[in-house]
Every structure is written in structure tokens, then in C-alpha cells.
Amino acid sequence: MKTPRTTSCSEEVVDNIHHCHYFCDDLLGEILSRLPIKSLFRFKCVSRSWRSLISSYEFQTQQRLRNSLGCFYRFQPHGSPAQEPNYLCTPVPDEEPGDDSIRVIDLRFLPNYPNFQTIDSCHGLVLCLNDETDPVTYFVCNPLTKRWVILPNLEKQWGRDCTAKFAFDPSVSPDFQAILVWCPSDIIVNIFSSATGKWVQSTMPWQAEVTDLYPPGASMNGNIYDVGFPSHVLSIDLKEMNFQVLELPEELYNGLVGRLGNFLCYTSNDGYVLKIWVLKDSSRNEWELKDAVVLEDLEKKLLQPICSKAWCEELLCRCQHPFNPLGFHPIVESVFLWAHCRIFRYDLMNSRLVEIWRHDNCGELGLSFEYSFTEYSPSPIGLERIPSWGQSALLLL
């Protein structure tokens, strides 16, 4: 006697939908949005219409993907061999990552692993850099679908001292842009477009008030933004290829810019107060102070010291920067902070500080180390079609 096959709830839903003759997109999308995320991505192979719907920007931006928001991070002692970038799931505040969340993303499929850096990310695609090659190599990948493509080399290399940014908006175009910015004498911008497979260079007049660029920056609404020393933000319009220099609300102190909802934000830490500013009107250079947190009060929110190691406590006291800004949460009003061997998320709405990662043995880091932090939102959108310029360099797994 055969044992009856058991089917999961999600499989029954798929069977019922597949045998129906007609479902409007709204109803189909409503049903599919209730399936587990991991199963949802596999169901793209059911039909072309399902693949198109699940991969659409509108479907991907629904709230059901919130729990899979995360970041890639790496803390590496100076002089040590390259360490692999790790993925950290950072769920929405007041929600815990459940079975629906994408908790593990492995980057071992990428070339020359782990000798590369994750530089920037936008709507599920990640810009990476391998600076151990000559010339340096940039490549773009989709960690969820394990697809990657190497960008052509620039005709003229400007070395490693540049700021790299990435722009991708699937609601506008399936093509992406990689942007490299230098400030040797004038402002030099090289933009690579996947639509043409070529780099295009533009030179802009030097702005005396901008002496250097300080990554990371932000990409939004067709513009990229970078903090420029000592107290400015450089905004570059990628379509018109012109730029604007915005004055920061205060002099730069251990700060960065990022996207918080639909606004450009700037956060700074002078060693005593953590401030978060929102740009309300770029035409009038109007900034609004959204929050100001006394670092001493922030430390009191912890149930235990940042680090129990005596040498680590001494280091933190000397630096007077116990909470350094890493970036902003792309959906909710939160800022990511690090304090030597721990990463925190500070929620602006309820003034709550939450630890989201701790190094297993902070003594391995030592007093001198490098770190990287790249926000990432898993998505099956992007690199789905093979560009003609990158066929030989594209790997599909």
C-alpha cells in the first residue's frame, strides 16, 4: 500500500493557482505575497508571467521583504589575510527574523574569493572591488541569484584613491551605473552604464570648498551624494552630469550621509553627541535636526559595558568615539553604529539601542583594524539578462 504524499501549505496554494484558468495580477500577487520568501523565489520558474510578477519592482517593494533587509560587514586586523564578508540580517525594529527571512547569503561564488570588498549596494545588486589586481577590478553581483559580471577596465587608471558609488532603479530601467569620483585637481567622474558597456568621463571645475571626499555616500533620485571635507556634500546629477555643493549644517565630525526613507540624511559624532540631520530642501540648503543623542546617555542604555576587556575599555576612552555611524536602515528610521567589537542599531522612533552583532573574540582585532559595512536588500531583480559586453565574464549558478 502506497503511503499518501504529504504536501505543504505553500505547495497546495501553488497547485490550486496553477490549475486555475485566470487570475488577475492583483489577486495573484496578493496570494503569492503570503508565501514564504525562500519558496517565493523558487516559484519564479513556474511560468513567465509568474517570473515577471515576482521580479517586478512593485512586488519586491511590498512590506513582506522587510525581514530580509541586512548588510555585509567585515572587520579585519591590519596586515592579516583577507577575511570573508559576512551577511547580517537586520529585521525591522519590534520584529524578529522568522523562517521567512533570508538569514544566510554566501558569497563564495564570486571570483577571487575572499580577496574583494563590497563597496555599495542598491536594490539587490552589489558593487564589489578587487584591489589586489593590476589594474583594479570592479564587478557587480546579485548575491541572491548568484550572478555576477566583471566591468571593463578603464582606459586610464586613477589608482585606488577614489570614491565608488552604484546606482540601480529597476522601476525606471533594468540597467545599472557604476560611478567613480576623484578630486585630484578638478572633479573627475567616470560613469559605467550597463546599457552601453562603456565608461564615460566628465570633468567638473574644482570647488575650493571641497578638499576631499569621504565615503560612504548615498544614491537616490538619480543623484549620488558624497561628504566632502571639511563641511560640504557633493551632489552629482547622473542624467544631466552637473553637480551641486551643499553646505553641511555643521562641521564634519566622524560623519556620513545616507538615505533615510525619501530624504538624504547626515549623521555626525563629535565624541559627545550623535546628531542626525535631514535635508529638507536642497535648493535652499535647508537641514533639519532630527535627533541629538548624548553618547553618555546612549551607553547607559546598555546592560553591560561595550567591552569587558581592560585594553578595549582603555581604547574606547581614548578615542571618545564609542558609537561610530556605519549607515542608515533603508526602510525604517534607524541608524547603524559600531563600537570596536559590536554593531548596534539605534531606532529614532523609540530611542532604543539594540545590539545586532558582536565579535566572538574582540582580542583578535587588536588596536588597528579596517572595517567595511554595506547595506543590502535581497532581491531577484537585476542581472537577469546577459549583457553583450559581459557574456564571457558572466557566471550563472
Side-chain angles (χ1 to χ4, degrees), residues 35-179:
L35 299 180
I37 292 177
K38 295 179 182 179
S39 300
L40 184 64
F41 291 158
R42 291 197 296 267
F43 293 157
K44 291 173 60 180
C45 66
V46 171
S47 66
R48 290 183 179 179
S49 61
W50 280 40
R51 179 183 181 87
S52 176
L53 175 61
I54 295 173
S55 298
S56 68
Y57 177 77
E58 292 76 11
F59 187 86
Q60 290 297 316
T61 52
Q62 290 181 2
Q63 289 188 346
R64 71 161 294 93
L65 289 180
R66 292 184 304 168
N67 272 357
S68 288
L69 293 168
C71 63
F72 289 107
Y73 69 91
R74 173 163 56 188
F75 284 73
Q76 180 174 332
H78 280 299
S80 67
Q83 297 183 3
E84 63 180 276
N86 298 289
Y87 175 69
L88 175 66
C89 182
T90 56
V92 171
D94 300 323
E95 293 185 11
E96 294 297 327
D99 296 335
D100 235 9
S101 301
I102 298 173
R103 305 296 302 278
V104 178
I105 293 180
D106 194 342
L107 297 180
R108 295 179 184 272
F109 68 92
L110 290 173
N112 202 23
Y113 178 90
N115 298 308
F116 64 87
Q117 305 172 41
T118 56
I119 302 297
D120 198 7
S121 176
C122 193
H123 292 300
L125 295 185
V126 182
L127 176 66
C128 302
L129 164 67
N130 183 357
D131 61 1
E132 296 191 357
T133 60
D134 189 17
V136 298
T137 302
Y138 289 92
F139 56 96
V140 175
C141 72
N142 186 329
L144 188 66
T145 61
K146 292 183 170 59
R147 299 185 178 199
W148 58 269
V149 61
I150 296 177
L151 305 189
N153 291 328
L154 284 165
E155 293 183 2
K156 182 177 181 180
Q157 290 290 322
W158 291 87
R160 294 164 172 79
D161 299 328
C162 68
T163 299
K165 293 291 177 289
F166 187 68
F168 174 57
D169 188 348
S171 66
V172 176
S173 169
D175 298 302
F176 62 80
Q177 293 174 301
I179 304 98

Side-chain angles (χ1 to χ4, degrees), residues 52 60 93 125 146 149 179 206 235 240 248 284 311 318 329 355 378 385:
S52 176
Q60 290 297 316
L125 295 185
K146 292 183 170 59
V149 61
I179 304 98
W206 173 255
S235 170
E240 302 296 333
L248 289 172
R284 296 188 297 177
W311 65 269
R318 287 205 314 265
H329 197 292
E355 178 185 318
R385 60 185 181 88

